[in-house]
Amino acid sequence: MGHHHNDEFKLHTPDFERINKKIDRRNFLTKTSLGLGAVALGSLFGANTLYGSEKQATTGALSDDEMQKQILAALPHIAPKAKRVVYLFMSGGPSQFETFDYKPKLVDMFGQDLPESVRGEQRLTGMSANQSNFPIAPSFTGFKQYGKNDTWVSDLLPYTAQVIDELCIIKSTFTEHINHDPAITFFQTGHQLPGRPSMGSWLSYGLGSDNENLPSFIVLVSKNAGGQPLYSRLWGNGFLPTEHQGVQFRSGKDPVLYLNNPEGYDGEDRAQMLDYLKKLNQFQNEGIADPEVDARIAQYEMAFKMQTSVPEVMSTDDEPDDIFDLYGPDSRDSGTYAANCLLARKLLEKDVKFVQLYHQGWDQHGGLPGGISHQCKNTDQATAALIIDLKQRGLLEDTLVVWGGEFGRTVYSQGRLEKENYGRDHHPRCFTMWMAGAGVKPGFTYGETDDFSYNITKNPVHVHDFHATLMHLMGIDHEQLTFKSQGRRYRLTDVHGTVVKDLLV
Amino acid sequence: MRELPEELDYNMHVKPILSDKCFACHGPDMAKQKAGLRLDLSEAAYGELPENEGNYAIDPGDLEDSQVFHRILSEDPDYIMPTPESHLTLTAYEKAVLIKWIDDGAEYKPHWAFVKPEKEELPEVENEDWIKNSIDNFVLAKLENLNLQPSKQADKRTVLRRINFDLTGLPPTLKEQQDFLKDKSPDAYEKVVDRLFNSSAFGERLAADWLDVARFADSHGYTVDRLRDMSPYRDWVIKAFNENMPYDKFIHWQLAGDLMPNPTKEMLIATAFNRNHQQNMEGGIIEKEFQSEYVVDRTNILGDAFLGVSVGCAKCHDHKYDPISQKEYYQFYSFFNNVREAGQISYDNAMPAPTLLLPTAEEESLVKFINEKLTSKEQQLVKLRSDSKAEFSQWLTAGGAAKLTTQTYPSVGLQARYDFDKNELRNALNPKEVSFTTLVNRDKIKEVFTEGKTGKGILLDGDAWLDFGEVGVFRKGEPFTIGMDIFIPQDFKEGVIFHKSLAERMYNFRGFHVYGRKNGTLEIMMAHAAPANAIVKVSKEKVAKGKWTHLTLVYDGSSKAKGLYLFMDGKKLETTTEVDDLAKDILFTQHVETQPGLQIGGWYRGTGFKNGIVDNVSVYNRKITDFEVAVLAGKETWNKVKSNKKTLEDYYFSAVHQSSISLRNELKNERNALSDATEEVKELMVMKESNKPKPTFLLERGNYDSPGEQVFPNTPDRILPMPENLPKNRYGLAQWLTHPNHPLTARVAVNRLWQNIFGIGLVKTAEDFGNQGELPSHPKLLDYLAVSFTESGWDVKKIIKEMVMSAVYQQDSKTSKELLDWDKENRFLARGPARRLTAEMIRDNALAASGLLNKKVGGPSVKPYQPDGLWRINGATYVPDTTDEVYRRSLYVIVKRSVPNPTLGTFDATSRSYCVVRRQKTNTPLQALVTLNDPTFVEVSKVLGERMAKEENVEKAIMITYNKLTGKLPKAKELALLKELQQKELSKFNASISKAKGWLETGFYEINPQLNMPLVAANAVVANVILNSDAALMRR
């Protein structure tokens, strides 16, 4: 069989003898005024290490698989600050006005029509574009200052206010997308249309797993939060290999799909059965020697390990009361946001690379005061508790915590404005999110918006920039982690994104 | 390190490097060309560098003089190519190839895939005995070149299982295995192949693949992702494959069935291909954005499914690698841009227009019956009038007309009248009925009374609307008249005047409305689901502004455009009809709590009628005569009518003559019956051209709201110029695809069929035949197949048969470790194709082996077992089927795009959100959990276990189950191993039957209680182990 495939690069083929002769090296070096050209030639004509391992049959140039291997081999590109991420995704688009972006001047402008000069050419959603006026709605809730920098935080977030010195708040995040599906898809995958891998999948693909018994990308969805629908492609692997998809852990008896053995059949029984399966596979593979059989045997072993490790990690039975007290009463009710925050901490302790919590219900087109109070009440304490808990375990140093939604909300009321009741439509041009922990400046606020929180006046941070920064913290140069699909190289940040260095310690 | 080929081929060796490493900046994308250099065309590459006088990128044969040579060897970051910022680097091998190529003369050749395929002489081979058909010549010649031997023929069982899965997606039954083993005739294998081609499962197998391409799904996708039924399309696909429809026709029907001569119902159903894409129901989306998105989807799938070129890359800019400019992209786009469709789909679950009604035979005959009655009533009505002239004369003589003069407005049929004069919103006819102004969701706000046309009127603010409760609720079969005085302010730009609907586009305008368009004209619409299932007419005259005017909408109940018209100040407006296609009723029946009625001056989430005033609203439950309209508008008086006998006669037969009135009432009832009969008729989204062509513009950066130059339907010259004789519509496009000179379509099709059979295409990147795609492993074979395919009249079964009859296909898949390592993917085909079963096959294999499989073909999708709560993330509930529908073949399992089926999705079934022509092939622990614990597989194990328990001999029982699941018999040591397992499990379950609970109780199937339960359970475990073993999961 193809004996020549193992040969080294043929330096002295007649072709290259001829080329060698033709090149007057000195002349070449002068002409290109390079000096390094000789080295380049050396590597061209002499080196075989660069590509020495190439043994596989291929019909074209460098195969895509080889290229991908080279890309992964280069990781990490930078010394990572964060080993893991917990992303608290507030689905629906939390209002910046009632949380972090304090706009006291609006109080006097209650009900006034938002000036067209502020609105500019911003397109509006189909829900409020046709309103005959755009009455300014000041926040119904008060704000107070907290922490070493006297940072303004809404009265709806008393617990978060207590950890304000840990937060790196970005008031100037922006996106192009004004509706949920495109905006969330964009935030999770860097593209507004379905089909691209989510950021957790990219991280899993690039960095692999630090825990052999658990997936590297785990998703937790608050139960009964209501609000805008979610869909599992938000944690999908897109064109990356399926093993990098986010695995949803659900509350209840079957936390991972089909994790449980048939009723009555316990782990020991299963272990014995799998032992026989392994032997059967090995017998069947005799004379075939397909490495895929070995791979599958390994996957069955991993599945078996998950059957034990997942229920273990999902169980909070051993947590002491003061931990439940820290996360709040809901943390005893599995599947709630608070319980998921506690669970997230456990997963992070096990070195799961990317844990993403989804909490729905932030889409207050109407009845915002009641709605957002409810949302804050359900999330505030547990969010703060997660930071405190990670910190007290020394995990905050190398864990990045992210909080935010897919866009912000309008200063004007959607529908009727009343003193105690109003709604806000989607607003992509500015909104607040925050990060905490590994590698980001604690007790820091970045970016500014105008008096209407309608436009950014200082230090805009685009979603692509956020992605670039997140990857940077994980040790990845966002421009270098690419994957070739359908003839094109893709990356999380498409062709955009700049690391926001100002946020980094 | 690979050896440098002695003779470089541009397409084979050079261009893959240039394309991948250079074209992004020096390729076809004009906007991104750096330094004005492009390397994809020889004349540009050889020419003087535009930004570097006297220098040349490539001087053929002269390395010294070629900038490319110097640049790729440099290490100076400011000089080297590719630049460090690109993060692209050339390997030593790649540099060597480029250098040698330049030195050899830098010969360019057209991209192989854009050159029409030609059949070449069959390559000669040494081992002629091995050859079964022409395919083998191509493959063997290459192997002999590499000094490789093909593998021996696979054994009969292996081949039988392979061919069964490849042609039907199902395993061979025990009997089929026996028959084949017994048949010693030389054509035993061919007989099996022919039998499989003729089974209905063949169409299902090919459909399973095509549905990935066609992104077929049971839900709309995007966030809300409600269900819809597109199964008639799936049924058509299965049928098309089973009847061996020629592939060119298969393309024509799907792309353009509606535009072909005399389209049949099936041809229209086929066009659902282009409506399978996702559609958005999110409340705030902008219509135009998503209308554009849908057209983009259709354009991209043309590239992915038929051309094998990622045309989608040219949506925002010229293609970076392939010769498709952005303009050419929008020329493709314009073929698909003429569909009368909504961007946002309706909140009440109406099937997005345009649709095809698919009545059952029963429904069809009922509709026909009612239509006949309707026609007869209409004729009777005409006759009745001519027969009753005498009665009219009597009425005249008796002084009937005189009574009319006392009325200020017509009274016959009047249902409601509001003059607002007492600062009240009361219906003068029924003072209990009070209307109210409202803003959102029936939150009442205080209405503003102001000076009206007469007495008081209501001032409107553009957001709130005057709501008349249930007044104005009419069906499409019911005549009505609505009139009112309106003051339209001078600065009115656009907005609704009055309507009966729930909101602006959220509900696709169901109901009717009068709308002031931007250009000042008035639109009248009556709709089931706009913009297609509707009547739309537009006035030629502009609406009067800055003064009081009277508007009257009159409708005769006919569901036809000519029966709906508008009067301004008593004068009938001339109109243009834009749509005349109302096929279903205009009332809400689903997802709506209260039937809305007449509303004036505003609508939910839409533009209203700011600073307008309304007064004197009248609603009639009959079509009033033209003269009455004039009276209502205050433009005529009853006195005049006395002098006009014709007008008076019209009035008499409309409002007075009892026989006419009751006959019209009967007609109305028949029309309502017709609406009732149509209400439940199934609708399928199909393609239908709008009668008014929609102009298409290049969209700058791909943005729907940045139109650039106008473009017209056309195809890219570099692929194949569109022949003059073809129409510039979808039908022309479809014929262009299958034109004898087309370089791509046949190659792409046979490659995908090859991929289906061999697991990997001759071109591995089945979706991409462009510059960035991988090169064919056997270019001449690909072309041979492509040409044979077209020459045969695009005969799908014939070309597949040639593949499976080849010696290549029938080889043993076992091979040496050396060969396995060297050619992991089996690109050189020195062995038979082995691969894991697809998601569908894994489930179907288990169901078939257990005998549970329900082989019913076609029909709506089914819902097998699924863990609770998966659909809850977007507010839906999954209710599994409760009959043997749960055992249907996997291609019928419901596809909800946002929540994949957990069994199939785990084994790489696609989300069907977009076209996929090549599935991922993964191996994950989650897959193990499915086949171990998913109720479907546990139940299958149980059923097999029960069957085994009836067998007296344990070994025989195991052998039968093994044979059913794997198509093979176990080796002696496998049998011994499984027997040992069975004994262990049996003693375990004997000791503790509670351990067997899950094995015995999972799934609907109930086992015979007479049987020995521990034995059944132990057998079930054995069956499950076999089911999870390589021999079951792989087809080798």
Side-chain angles (χ1 to χ4, degrees), chain A residues 1 5 7 9-10 15-16 18-19 22-23 27-28 32 34 36 40-41 43-44 51 55-57 59-62 67 123-127 130-132 178-181 193-195 229-233 237-242 250 256-266 269-270 272-273 276-277 279-281 283-284 286-293 295-296 299-300 302-303 307 360 416 477 479-480 484 486-487 489, chain B residues 1-4 20 61 64 69-70 73-74 76 87-88 92 96 99-100 103-104 148 222-223 278 282 284-286 289 293 321 439 445 461 463 504-505 605-607 610 704 767-768 772 775 777 814 818 820 822 824 828 867-868 870 873-874 898 900 902-903 908 914 920 922-923 925 928-935 962 971 973-974 977 980-981 984-985 988-989 994-995 997-999 1021 1024-1025 1028-1031 1033-1034 1036:
Chain A
M1 62 175 280
H5 289 274
D7 282 4
F9 181 75
K10 294 256 169 68
D15 273 318
F16 274 86
R18 196 161 49 81
I19 291 174
K22 269 181 143 182
I23 301 168
N27 186 16
F28 165 62
T32 56
L34 280 178
L36 287 169
L41 275 177
S43 72
L44 167 60
Y51 206 44
K55 274 185 204 159
Q56 251 187 257
T59 53
L62 184 53
M67 239 159 7
R123 59 190 191 132
L124 305 177
T125 78
M127 293 172 283
N130 297 319
Q131 279 186 202
S132 62
I178 56 169
N179 284 292
H180 297 289
D181 187 311
L193 291 176
L230 291 173
Y231 25 101
S232 53
R233 71 173 147 77
N237 48 293
F239 43 69
L240 292 175
T242 310
R250 311 187 308 152
V256 167
L257 291 170
Y258 311 122
L259 191 71
N260 285 332
N261 294 326
E263 198 180 339
Y265 205 65
D266 64 27
D269 301 327
R270 179 44 47 94
Q272 191 185 66
M273 171 184 165
Y276 279 88
L277 174 60
K279 279 184 205 143
L280 181 61
N281 272 322
F283 288 166
Q284 287 174 351
E286 279 170 15
I288 299 176
D290 184 350
E292 199 180 322
V293 178
R296 194 174 317 109
Q299 300 298 7
Y300 274 76
M302 168 76 178
Q307 288 190 296
Q360 292 155 278
R416 272 188 85 210
D477 175 350
E479 292 186 350
Q480 290 194 52
K484 200 169 160 193
Q486 296 217 324
R489 285 186 187 76
Chain B
M1 186 80 196
R2 256 178 308 156
E3 188 178 18
L4 210 56
D20 200 41
E64 193 83 6
F69 168 71
H70 299 294
L73 289 181
S74 169
D76 178 349
H87 299 296
L88 296 169
I99 290 168
K100 178 168 158 48
D103 195 55
D104 287 352
L148 292 171
Y222 293 110
T223 85
Q278 303 197 80
E282 191 173 335
I285 62 166
I286 295 163
E289 180 174 7
E293 222 41 84
Y321 307 103
L439 187 70
I445 59 163
D461 70 2
D463 290 331
E504 205 217 19
R505 70 186 78 99
R605 290 186 179 175
T607 311
K610 194 175 179 180
Y704 74 95
E767 69 286 353
D768 190 4
Q772 286 288 90
L775 291 163
S777 56
K814 281 205 263 324
E818 261 185 313
L820 198 62
W822 177 68
K824 222 178 274 175
F828 290 96
D868 279 346
L870 290 183
I873 56 169
N874 54 22
S898 57
T903 308
D908 306 323
Y914 41 90
Q920 290 202 356
T922 64
N923 191 352
L929 294 174
V930 170
T931 38
L932 289 170
N933 295 330
D934 178 340
Y962 194 104
K971 288 178 240 170
K973 61 179 177 180
E974 292 173 20
L977 180 80
E980 185 186 308
L981 170 66
K984 273 200 180 168
E985 296 290 322
K988 187 194 311 175
F989 293 136
S994 66
K995 277 183 182 292
K997 192 169 163 46
W999 290 109
V1021 174
N1024 193 256
V1025 164
N1028 274 282
S1029 73
D1030 185 73
L1033 298 174
M1034 292 288 291
R1036 290 191 180 275

Side-chain angles (χ1 to χ4, degrees), chain B residues 747-766:
Chain B
R747 279 188 176 125
V748 169
V750 293
N751 187 60
R752 213 167 40 233
L753 293 172
W754 185 277
Q755 173 184 272
N756 245 352
I757 301 295
F758 286 89
I760 186 165
L762 293 167
V763 175
K764 183 182 169 188
T765 53

Side-chain angles (χ1 to χ4, degrees), chain A residues 110 137-138 140 369 413 415-423, chain B residues 443 445:
Chain A
F110 179 89
F140 73 98
S413 177
R416 272 188 85 210
L417 170 68
E418 291 166 32
K419 269 278 182 251
E420 300 302 326
N421 202 6
Y422 52 88
Chain B
D443 286 345
I445 59 163

Side-chain angles (χ1 to χ4, degrees), chain A residues 276-321:
Chain A
Y276 279 88
L277 174 60
K278 183 178 177 176
K279 279 184 205 143
L280 181 61
N281 272 322
Q282 285 164 344
F283 288 166
Q284 287 174 351
N285 201 27
E286 279 170 15
I288 299 176
D290 184 350
E292 199 180 322
V293 178
D294 301 326
R296 194 174 317 109
I297 290 172
Q299 300 298 7
Y300 274 76
E301 280 164 8
M302 168 76 178
F304 179 70
K305 284 187 203 160
M306 277 174 68
Q307 288 190 296
T308 327
S309 61
V310 174
E312 249 172 44
V313 78
M314 292 289 286
S315 162
T316 48
D317 291 350
D318 293 343
E319 295 290 324
D321 282 349

